[in-house]
Amino acid sequence: MDYDYKLLMEKAKKASKKSYSPFSKFAVGAAVLAKGGKIYTGCNVENSSFGMTICAERCAIFKAVSEGVREILAVAIFSPNEDDCYPCGACRQVMYEFQGEEEVVVITNHEDNLNIRKLSDFLPYGFKIQNS
Ligand code: THU
């Protein structure tokens, strides 16, 4: 797929600045490209009750879905703390739920270069109930 992944990563980087992560001090931002071309961003939001924390990727995907999106094309992830901030297992599964005919592209940042991979590299044999 032909898309400006650099722009998507810039939006993820900007979103990471909004991170609420006083406990881990690990900021993350994500930007989701939805089918149709719209971009939705999110950041991790932590909580004093630690288990309530939401990752940046799911924050962005849920924002998109709540606006009517049902198919995502790409997700860029940025953390100032870590090169190649890879999505956690829960976020991989949520990406898989909203994968359409085209495989979701996952973009990470490595020393200002982009690593561009497919979701199946992170989550082979994903679980999906058909017709969901
Ligand atoms: N986190 C994300 O937002 N995305 C990831 O892919 C990995 C982890 C957040 C959750 C928590 O706020 C902090 O990073 C440390 O785990």
Side-chain angles (χ1 to χ4, degrees), residues 21 24 26 28 43-46 53-57 77 85-88 91:
S21 44
S24 71
F26 193 96
V28 186
C43 63
N44 56 331
V45 182
E46 298 187 343
T53 293
I54 184 97
C55 292
E57 299 90 318
I77 308 160
C85 181
Y86 293 139
C88 78
C91 292

PDB file of all heavy atoms in Angstrom, residues 21 24 26 28 43-46 53-57 77 85-88 91, ligand 1:
ATOM      1  N   SER A  21       1.359   9.222  31.825  1.00  0.00           N
ATOM      2  CA  SER A  21       2.100   8.043  32.297  1.00  0.00           C
ATOM      3  C   SER A  21       2.977   8.381  33.504  1.00  0.00           C
ATOM      4  O   SER A  21       4.197   8.189  33.466  1.00  0.00           O
ATOM      5  CB  SER A  21       2.945   7.473  31.146  1.00  0.00           C
ATOM      6  OG  SER A  21       3.613   8.503  30.431  1.00  0.00           O
ATOM      7  N   SER A  24       4.646   4.762  35.100  1.00  0.00           N
ATOM      8  CA  SER A  24       5.736   4.078  34.381  1.00  0.00           C
ATOM      9  C   SER A  24       6.753   5.067  33.817  1.00  0.00           C
ATOM     10  O   SER A  24       7.884   4.689  33.521  1.00  0.00           O
ATOM     11  CB  SER A  24       5.166   3.257  33.219  1.00  0.00           C
ATOM     12  OG  SER A  24       4.715   4.113  32.188  1.00  0.00           O
ATOM     13  N   PHE A  26       6.708   5.965  30.979  1.00  0.00           N
ATOM     14  CA  PHE A  26       6.942   5.403  29.644  1.00  0.00           C
ATOM     15  C   PHE A  26       5.845   5.944  28.732  1.00  0.00           C
ATOM     16  O   PHE A  26       4.722   5.434  28.708  1.00  0.00           O
ATOM     17  CB  PHE A  26       6.908   3.867  29.722  1.00  0.00           C
ATOM     18  CG  PHE A  26       7.423   3.175  28.498  1.00  0.00           C
ATOM     19  CD1 PHE A  26       8.743   2.738  28.423  1.00  0.00           C
ATOM     20  CD2 PHE A  26       6.587   2.946  27.402  1.00  0.00           C
ATOM     21  CE1 PHE A  26       9.226   2.091  27.288  1.00  0.00           C
ATOM     22  CE2 PHE A  26       7.066   2.294  26.270  1.00  0.00           C
ATOM     23  CZ  PHE A  26       8.382   1.866  26.214  1.00  0.00           C
ATOM     24  N   VAL A  28       3.888   6.779  25.301  1.00  0.00           N
ATOM     25  CA  VAL A  28       3.674   6.153  23.985  1.00  0.00           C
ATOM     26  C   VAL A  28       2.607   6.944  23.238  1.00  0.00           C
ATOM     27  O   VAL A  28       1.630   7.407  23.839  1.00  0.00           O
ATOM     28  CB  VAL A  28       3.214   4.677  24.111  1.00  0.00           C
ATOM     29  CG1 VAL A  28       3.149   4.013  22.730  1.00  0.00           C
ATOM     30  CG2 VAL A  28       4.140   3.871  25.025  1.00  0.00           C
ATOM     31  N   CYS A  43      -2.817   8.120  22.949  1.00  0.00           N
ATOM     32  CA  CYS A  43      -1.643   7.991  23.817  1.00  0.00           C
ATOM     33  C   CYS A  43      -1.999   7.030  24.943  1.00  0.00           C
ATOM     34  O   CYS A  43      -3.185   6.726  25.157  1.00  0.00           O
ATOM     35  CB  CYS A  43      -1.238   9.344  24.386  1.00  0.00           C
ATOM     36  SG  CYS A  43      -2.491  10.083  25.440  1.00  0.00           S
ATOM     37  N   ASN A  44      -0.989   6.550  25.645  1.00  0.00           N
ATOM     38  CA  ASN A  44      -1.294   5.703  26.799  1.00  0.00           C
ATOM     39  C   ASN A  44      -1.823   6.563  27.939  1.00  0.00           C
ATOM     40  O   ASN A  44      -1.377   7.696  28.162  1.00  0.00           O
ATOM     41  CB  ASN A  44      -0.089   4.845  27.228  1.00  0.00           C
ATOM     42  CG  ASN A  44       1.158   5.630  27.523  1.00  0.00           C
ATOM     43  OD1 ASN A  44       1.393   6.691  26.977  1.00  0.00           O
ATOM     44  ND2 ASN A  44       1.985   5.089  28.406  1.00  0.00           N
ATOM     45  N   VAL A  45      -2.800   6.017  28.627  1.00  0.00           N
ATOM     46  CA  VAL A  45      -3.439   6.715  29.756  1.00  0.00           C
ATOM     47  C   VAL A  45      -3.405   5.768  30.946  1.00  0.00           C
ATOM     48  O   VAL A  45      -4.080   4.730  30.939  1.00  0.00           O
ATOM     49  CB  VAL A  45      -4.893   7.111  29.414  1.00  0.00           C
ATOM     50  CG1 VAL A  45      -5.515   7.879  30.583  1.00  0.00           C
ATOM     51  CG2 VAL A  45      -4.959   7.937  28.132  1.00  0.00           C
ATOM     52  N   GLU A  46      -2.582   6.127  31.928  1.00  0.00           N
ATOM     53  CA  GLU A  46      -2.420   5.245  33.097  1.00  0.00           C
ATOM     54  C   GLU A  46      -3.411   5.629  34.196  1.00  0.00           C
ATOM     55  O   GLU A  46      -4.131   6.626  34.099  1.00  0.00           O
ATOM     56  CB  GLU A  46      -0.961   5.324  33.581  1.00  0.00           C
ATOM     57  CG  GLU A  46      -0.009   4.838  32.491  1.00  0.00           C
ATOM     58  CD  GLU A  46       1.439   4.722  32.937  1.00  0.00           C
ATOM     59  OE1 GLU A  46       1.802   5.305  33.978  1.00  0.00           O
ATOM     60  OE2 GLU A  46       2.203   4.054  32.218  1.00  0.00           O
ATOM     61  N   THR A  53      -4.988   0.907  33.057  1.00  0.00           N
ATOM     62  CA  THR A  53      -4.203   1.587  32.013  1.00  0.00           C
ATOM     63  C   THR A  53      -4.600   1.116  30.619  1.00  0.00           C
ATOM     64  O   THR A  53      -4.860  -0.060  30.402  1.00  0.00           O
ATOM     65  CB  THR A  53      -2.704   1.288  32.251  1.00  0.00           C
ATOM     66  OG1 THR A  53      -2.318   1.935  33.469  1.00  0.00           O
ATOM     67  CG2 THR A  53      -1.832   1.788  31.106  1.00  0.00           C
ATOM     68  N   ILE A  54      -4.639   2.074  29.691  1.00  0.00           N
ATOM     69  CA  ILE A  54      -4.884   1.717  28.284  1.00  0.00           C
ATOM     70  C   ILE A  54      -3.659   2.124  27.463  1.00  0.00           C
ATOM     71  O   ILE A  54      -3.086   3.187  27.681  1.00  0.00           O
ATOM     72  CB  ILE A  54      -6.169   2.390  27.733  1.00  0.00           C
ATOM     73  CG1 ILE A  54      -6.472   1.951  26.300  1.00  0.00           C
ATOM     74  CG2 ILE A  54      -6.114   3.890  27.798  1.00  0.00           C
ATOM     75  CD1 ILE A  54      -7.468   0.857  26.193  1.00  0.00           C
ATOM     76  N   CYS A  55      -3.281   1.264  26.551  1.00  0.00           N
ATOM     77  CA  CYS A  55      -2.144   1.556  25.674  1.00  0.00           C
ATOM     78  C   CYS A  55      -2.532   2.592  24.617  1.00  0.00           C
ATOM     79  O   CYS A  55      -3.717   2.745  24.277  1.00  0.00           O
ATOM     80  CB  CYS A  55      -1.701   0.295  24.942  1.00  0.00           C
ATOM     81  SG  CYS A  55      -0.962  -0.956  25.981  1.00  0.00           S
ATOM     82  N   ALA A  56      -1.513   3.226  24.068  1.00  0.00           N
ATOM     83  CA  ALA A  56      -1.726   4.240  23.033  1.00  0.00           C
ATOM     84  C   ALA A  56      -2.434   3.653  21.806  1.00  0.00           C
ATOM     85  O   ALA A  56      -3.323   4.291  21.224  1.00  0.00           O
ATOM     86  CB  ALA A  56      -0.380   4.819  22.622  1.00  0.00           C
ATOM     87  N   GLU A  57      -2.047   2.447  21.420  1.00  0.00           N
ATOM     88  CA  GLU A  57      -2.607   1.843  20.202  1.00  0.00           C
ATOM     89  C   GLU A  57      -4.103   1.594  20.347  1.00  0.00           C
ATOM     90  O   GLU A  57      -4.898   1.909  19.464  1.00  0.00           O
ATOM     91  CB  GLU A  57      -1.913   0.511  19.890  1.00  0.00           C
ATOM     92  CG  GLU A  57      -0.427   0.605  19.639  1.00  0.00           C
ATOM     93  CD  GLU A  57       0.410   0.443  20.902  1.00  0.00           C
ATOM     94  OE1 GLU A  57       0.042   1.001  21.960  1.00  0.00           O
ATOM     95  OE2 GLU A  57       1.443  -0.245  20.827  1.00  0.00           O
ATOM     96  N   ILE A  77       3.608   3.626  15.817  1.00  0.00           N
ATOM     97  CA  ILE A  77       3.789   3.649  17.274  1.00  0.00           C
ATOM     98  C   ILE A  77       5.104   4.358  17.586  1.00  0.00           C
ATOM     99  O   ILE A  77       6.144   4.039  16.997  1.00  0.00           O
ATOM    100  CB  ILE A  77       3.842   2.213  17.842  1.00  0.00           C
ATOM    101  CG1 ILE A  77       2.642   1.401  17.360  1.00  0.00           C
ATOM    102  CG2 ILE A  77       3.898   2.233  19.369  1.00  0.00           C
ATOM    103  CD1 ILE A  77       2.848  -0.100  17.445  1.00  0.00           C
ATOM    104  N   CYS A  85       9.229   0.646  19.525  1.00  0.00           N
ATOM    105  CA  CYS A  85       8.265   0.314  20.577  1.00  0.00           C
ATOM    106  C   CYS A  85       7.204  -0.594  19.955  1.00  0.00           C
ATOM    107  O   CYS A  85       6.334  -0.139  19.200  1.00  0.00           O
ATOM    108  CB  CYS A  85       7.640   1.587  21.134  1.00  0.00           C
ATOM    109  SG  CYS A  85       6.468   1.245  22.455  1.00  0.00           S
ATOM    110  N   TYR A  86       7.311  -1.865  20.232  1.00  0.00           N
ATOM    111  CA  TYR A  86       6.403  -2.834  19.618  1.00  0.00           C
ATOM    112  C   TYR A  86       5.100  -2.923  20.394  1.00  0.00           C
ATOM    113  O   TYR A  86       5.078  -2.757  21.618  1.00  0.00           O
ATOM    114  CB  TYR A  86       7.067  -4.223  19.584  1.00  0.00           C
ATOM    115  CG  TYR A  86       8.259  -4.314  18.666  1.00  0.00           C
ATOM    116  CD1 TYR A  86       9.408  -5.012  19.046  1.00  0.00           C
ATOM    117  CD2 TYR A  86       8.233  -3.717  17.416  1.00  0.00           C
ATOM    118  CE1 TYR A  86      10.501  -5.098  18.194  1.00  0.00           C
ATOM    119  CE2 TYR A  86       9.323  -3.791  16.564  1.00  0.00           C
ATOM    120  CZ  TYR A  86      10.457  -4.489  16.957  1.00  0.00           C
ATOM    121  OH  TYR A  86      11.531  -4.571  16.126  1.00  0.00           O
ATOM    122  N   PRO A  87       4.004  -3.217  19.690  1.00  0.00           N
ATOM    123  CA  PRO A  87       2.702  -3.296  20.370  1.00  0.00           C
ATOM    124  C   PRO A  87       2.623  -4.504  21.298  1.00  0.00           C
ATOM    125  O   PRO A  87       3.154  -5.579  20.990  1.00  0.00           O
ATOM    126  CB  PRO A  87       1.712  -3.431  19.203  1.00  0.00           C
ATOM    127  CG  PRO A  87       2.507  -3.979  18.072  1.00  0.00           C
ATOM    128  CD  PRO A  87       3.899  -3.456  18.240  1.00  0.00           C
ATOM    129  N   CYS A  88       1.935  -4.327  22.421  1.00  0.00           N
ATOM    130  CA  CYS A  88       1.760  -5.452  23.345  1.00  0.00           C
ATOM    131  C   CYS A  88       0.778  -6.463  22.737  1.00  0.00           C
ATOM    132  O   CYS A  88       0.121  -6.198  21.720  1.00  0.00           O
ATOM    133  CB  CYS A  88       1.249  -4.954  24.701  1.00  0.00           C
ATOM    134  SG  CYS A  88      -0.515  -4.574  24.710  1.00  0.00           S
ATOM    135  N   CYS A  91      -2.870  -5.286  22.204  1.00  0.00           N
ATOM    136  CA  CYS A  91      -3.044  -4.354  21.078  1.00  0.00           C
ATOM    137  C   CYS A  91      -2.939  -5.080  19.737  1.00  0.00           C
ATOM    138  O   CYS A  91      -3.636  -4.731  18.780  1.00  0.00           O
ATOM    139  CB  CYS A  91      -2.029  -3.225  21.169  1.00  0.00           C
ATOM    140  SG  CYS A  91      -2.347  -2.132  22.583  1.00  0.00           S
TER     141      CYS A  91
HETATM  142  N1  THU B   1       2.269   0.866  26.433  1.00  0.00           N
HETATM  143  C1  THU B   1       1.645   1.352  25.322  1.00  0.00           C
HETATM  144  O1  THU B   1       0.946   2.364  25.361  1.00  0.00           O
HETATM  145  N2  THU B   1       1.824   0.689  24.162  1.00  0.00           N
HETATM  146  C2  THU B   1       2.665  -0.360  23.978  1.00  0.00           C
HETATM  147  O2  THU B   1       2.782  -0.878  22.894  1.00  0.00           O
HETATM  148  C3  THU B   1       3.425  -0.871  25.127  1.00  0.00           C
HETATM  149  C4  THU B   1       3.044  -0.344  26.449  1.00  0.00           C
HETATM  150  C5  THU B   1       2.138   1.627  27.678  1.00  0.00           C
HETATM  151  C6  THU B   1       1.302   1.017  28.762  1.00  0.00           C
HETATM  152  C7  THU B   1       1.888   1.652  29.993  1.00  0.00           C
HETATM  153  O3  THU B   1       1.276   2.912  30.199  1.00  0.00           O
HETATM  154  C8  THU B   1       3.336   1.897  29.645  1.00  0.00           C
HETATM  155  O4  THU B   1       3.422   1.804  28.238  1.00  0.00           O
HETATM  156  C9  THU B   1       4.293   0.913  30.285  1.00  0.00           C
HETATM  157  O5  THU B   1       3.896  -0.386  30.064  1.00  0.00           O
END
